[in-house]
Amino acid sequence: GAGVSQSPSNKVTEKGKDVELRCDPISGHTALYWYRQSLGQGLEFLIYFQGNSAPDKSGLPSDRFSAERTGGSVSTLTIQRTQQEDSAVYLCASSAPGSNQPQHFGDGTRLSIL
Amino acid sequence: ELKVEQNPLFLSMQEGKNYTIYCNYSTTSDRLYWYRQDPGKSLESLFVLLSNGAVKQEGRLMASLDTKARLSTLHITAAVHDLSATYFCAATQRAGGTSYGKLTFGQGTILTVHP
């Protein structure tokens, strides 16, 4: 079956612009996670959804970052007034119900802020 | 706060040799994951280790978990070039009820296997 789908795969934008990143999890996966990967910081957790609610937003680096999930499926990560330090690969993962399941990752969105 | 440390961070191996990557974590965690990442690609799940003493093997890779020592190992047997990649371990803690939340990743081990 289809894996986790993210779009766009690449995004180049100017500093100060807003961006939206989209994640389509694997069908039936109730948990959805956003991470980002950068050279300096490694893999960092951003936010976790269980269904449509976000019990853990502790990784969002500032109030410029927000995310939502609708219908227990698609999620959108929004970064407002982008800064150069926001440049990274943003990875989405989903996992099936049950505590023994791994998180399955999408291919990511490579975000470059000029 | 859960912290995860891997070593070594860089590993250059000859084909046919054996080696072990170590993953230490700082606080209680009874779920340990190993992932592989090829350059420019996403993360591929290799192993999920669920309990103390768990051992899993797939091909030339074997992973184990010692929750008392807060240590997981990824052992590579008779390395081949195709194993060249970055390997990450990640730990997680219960988020509430039976669900587990975020993964906390190690720094990654860049493995290069050469003839």
Side-chain angles (χ1 to χ4, degrees), chain B residues 13 17-22 34 47 56-64 72-78 83:
Chain B
M13 294 178 64
K17 298 292 188 183
N18 306 332
Y19 210 84
T20 301
I21 300 170
Y22 297 89
W34 285 94
F47 301 109
K56 290 198 174 179
Q57 182 160 8
E58 181 73 35
R60 300 174 188 276
L61 301 178
M62 183 173 72
S64 66
S72 180
T73 60
L74 181 67
H75 187 72
I76 303 151
T77 302
L83 289 179

Side-chain angles (χ1 to χ4, degrees), chain A residues 6 31 33 35 37 42-45 48 50 56 58 91-92 95 98-108 110, chain B residues 31 33 35 37 40-45 47-48 50 88 92 94-96 98-107:
Chain A
Q6 291 187 247
Y33 311 79
Y35 297 87
Q37 186 174 28
L43 274 154
E44 301 174 281
F45 165 78
Y48 154 54
Q50 186 64 245
D56 190 350
S58 63
L91 292 165
C92 177
S95 65
S99 59
N100 299 342
Q101 304 303 315
Q103 294 180 20
H104 297 271
F105 284 79
D107 288 340
R110 183 174 297 277
Chain B
R31 295 288 184 273
Y33 304 82
Y35 285 87
Q37 187 176 38
K41 302 291 187 182
S42 192
L43 292 147
E44 174 192 354
S45 176
F47 301 109
V48 181
L50 302 175
F88 290 93
T92 188
R94 201 177 286 275
T98 59
S99 66
Y100 284 76
K102 65 183 180 185
L103 295 179
T104 300
F105 285 87
Q107 309 96 310

Side-chain angles (χ1 to χ4, degrees), chain B residues 1-4 24-32 50 65-71 90-95 100 102 104:
Chain B
E1 180 189 353
L2 177 60
K3 292 184 180 178
V4 180
N24 288 94
Y25 53 96
S26 61
T27 63
T28 301
S29 171
D30 57 359
R31 295 288 184 273
L32 198 293
L50 302 175
L65 178 62
D66 180 343
T67 57
K68 293 178 182 176
R70 297 178 185 162
L71 171 69
T92 188
Q93 293 175 310
R94 201 177 286 275
Y100 284 76
K102 65 183 180 185
T104 300

